[in-house]
Amino acid sequence: MALSILYSYRRCPYAMRARMAIWAANIQVEVREISLREKPAHLLQISPKGTVPVLQLPDGTVLEQSLDIMQWALAQNDPQGWLNAAPEAVNALITINDGDFKKALDRYKYPDRYPEHTQAFYREQGEQFLQRLEAALAQHDYLLGDKPSMADVAIFPFIRQFAAVDAEWFASSPYPKLRVWLEHWLESALFAEVMQKFTTYIG
Ligand SMILES: N[C@@H](CCC(=O)N[C@@H](CS)C(=O)NCC(=O)O)C(=O)O
């Protein structure tokens, strides 16, 4: 049987969340690790917007949003029950993550590109989301309950990036539950699998 093709980029948080769901669902795909500077022609042909991840199914269907890829994978096989949380609650958190938080993260990471404000300002903006997550994790081990859900998986790659901007700051920041939660995901066998080195596909 032909495999679906996943265009991916190892360090991209959107691609990470897609790979986490595909691996959790135990679905085999052909991973095509790309260079963002030299995108393969086939990727641009099936998805002209040129972002990753993109999944092409054997019937030609193209999924070009990481969340759609996660839903597609977990709809087939969801052994860990990541789709069991209330979709409204999942969407509410992911919307903030992919919106305001991602915006603050980009500015915190690259303050030189956004000289209107200081890096500390952008960090504080991002911290609004960290505070919300910390409050949720004070109630239960995962963002939406005692079991992991799609929200945890979709969000942790972005918190990983935020934490890495200034690891020393993060280590002593007032988000102890968030640190434990992040560590849990970073140390998981699943994360190790999706972060293996893939050879770059030239096309
Ligand atoms: N909304 C998209 C965002 C994907 C995205 O922005 N991916 C980045 C890499 S992390 C990308 O491919 N950027 C294109 C580029 O850098 O040329 C999704 O959820 O899949």
Side-chain angles (χ1 to χ4, degrees):
M1 200 186 79
L3 295 181
S4 297
I5 296 169
L6 178 73
Y7 284 101
S8 183
Y9 184 67
R10 185 171 172 270
R11 289 185 297 121
C12 166
Y14 299 98
M16 279 178 205
R17 59 158 69 144
R19 296 199 302 277
M20 288 286 287
I22 292 170
W23 261 250
N26 219 352
I27 298 171
Q28 281 208 4
V29 296
E30 176 188 336
V31 178
R32 293 186 177 175
E33 171 78 12
I34 68 156
S35 151
L36 288 175
R37 289 201 192 142
E38 251 181 294
K39 293 174 185 157
H42 180 247
L43 167 64
L44 296 173
Q45 184 196 323
I46 63 172
S47 180
K49 72 177 175 39
T51 65
V52 285
V54 167
L55 186 73
Q56 185 182 40
L57 307 185
D59 71 3
T61 306
V62 175
L63 302 179
E64 48 183 358
Q65 291 295 335
S66 55
L67 296 175
D68 292 341
I69 297 173
M70 292 183 81
Q71 291 280 358
W72 169 85
L74 297 171
Q76 291 179 63
N77 191 18
D78 184 13
Q80 304 181 41
W82 288 355
L83 289 182
N84 291 349
E88 307 75 40
V90 172
N91 289 340
L93 276 187
I94 295 180
T95 299
I96 304 173
N97 180 78
D98 290 16
D100 288 348
F101 180 69
K102 175 67 165 73
K103 204 172 147 193
L105 169 62
D106 288 344
R107 284 157 179 71
Y108 176 40
K109 260 168 71 179
Y110 305 114
D112 299 353
R113 296 184 198 167
Y114 304 94
E116 314 78 89
H117 296 286
T118 62
Q119 187 181 33
F121 174 90
Y122 296 130
R123 182 165 74 198
E124 274 171 35
Q125 284 198 320
E127 282 187 76
Q128 290 175 24
F129 189 53
L130 302 194
Q131 281 155 16
R132 179 168 174 156
L133 300 188
E134 183 72 15
L137 294 169
Q139 310 281 318
H140 25 67
D141 285 351
Y142 296 94
L143 295 178
L144 295 173
D146 290 327
K147 296 196 171 137
S149 75
M150 175 152 157
D152 299 275
V153 182
I155 290 170
F156 89 81
F158 297 83
I159 305 302
R160 171 181 179 267
Q161 280 199 353
F162 197 90
V165 175
D166 184 344
E168 215 172 294
W169 172 83
F170 187 71
S172 57
S173 67
Y175 310 109
K177 308 259 185 229
L178 190 67
R179 282 196 291 276
V180 171
W181 171 86
L182 179 62
E183 242 1 76
H184 162 80
W185 288 107
L186 298 184
E187 285 176 7
S188 67
L190 199 56
F191 187 64
E193 281 177 40
V194 307
M195 291 305 281
Q196 67 185 269
K197 293 257 163 74
F198 302 93
T199 39
T200 305
Y201 174 85
I202 306 296

